[in-house]
Amino acid sequence: MFRSRSKDEQAATAKVTADQPQQPRDPQAPKGRPTPKRSEAQSQRRSRAHTPTNRKDAAKAQREARRVDMARQREAMASGDERYLPVRDKGPVRRFARDYVDSRWCAAEFFLPMAVVILVLTMIRVPSIQSIALLLWFVIIVLIVLDSVLIWFRLGKRLQERFPNDNLKGVKAYAVMRTLQMRRLRLPKPQVKRGQRP
């Protein structure tokens, strides 16, 4: 019952299949997959041809790809090209937050220059100048806190009006952190002028 077929039976089946004429495939019949475009086929051939064979070549290719991505990202940071920005900066919501911050004067962007001035003033061994430096330090911190709170609430209101259905998590903190950088050092580079409302 479970034995293998004899050689005679196998030969008979082979003869029967050989006698049947093979039916050619209809040229109009679908082949089950779309024909790839020439450019796609060429790129697939190239990628197969350039696949590294050992770990050293693979690591080198990976480093090169990472370098190209980073260069593209730096270029996008300078030009504001949305396609190559990091995930943290992508999307219309983040762009609006950046434009909102860049369109106004912020107290926090003057923190670094003021900190240098205050540091120089504290080094002078005159009590009245040191007390002025201390007062300046207090004033700049209060101004930064008030300005940040103002931006937080005003931007939140504008975002709710402009993007009611989008995910707004972390956008206000993103905008406040951007105010801490001097305007010319901000990345992505500002795309609006001061006073030009987004």
Side-chain angles (χ1 to χ4, degrees), residues 138-158:
F138 179 72
V139 167
I140 194 77
I141 287 174
V142 168
L143 282 174
I144 288 170
V145 168
L146 288 175
D147 194 36
S148 298
V149 168
L150 215 71
I151 286 172
W152 187 276
F153 287 110
R154 283 184 179 171
L155 179 62
K157 191 177 175 186
R158 294 281 303 274

Side-chain angles (χ1 to χ4, degrees), residues 57-71:
D57 291 343
K60 188 177 178 184
Q62 195 174 12
R63 273 197 308 274
E64 183 64 25
R66 197 178 310 121
R67 190 187 63 76
V68 168
D69 283 347
M70 291 302 287

Side-chain angles (χ1 to χ4, degrees), residues 65-77 84:
R66 197 178 310 121
R67 190 187 63 76
V68 168
D69 283 347
M70 291 302 287
R72 193 181 290 152
Q73 216 171 69
R74 273 195 303 274
E75 204 174 298
M77 287 286 214
Y84 304 117

Side-chain angles (χ1 to χ4, degrees), residues 23-38:
Q23 201 169 15
R25 190 175 72 84
D26 181 17
Q28 300 299 323
K31 61 178 178 283
R33 61 181 172 79
T35 304
K37 292 181 180 174
R38 179 178 290 195

Side-chain angles (χ1 to χ4, degrees), residues 46-59:
R46 272 195 222 105
S47 68
R48 276 198 298 269
H50 295 303
T51 305
T53 53
N54 59 13
R55 281 179 55 193
K56 190 175 178 184
D57 291 343

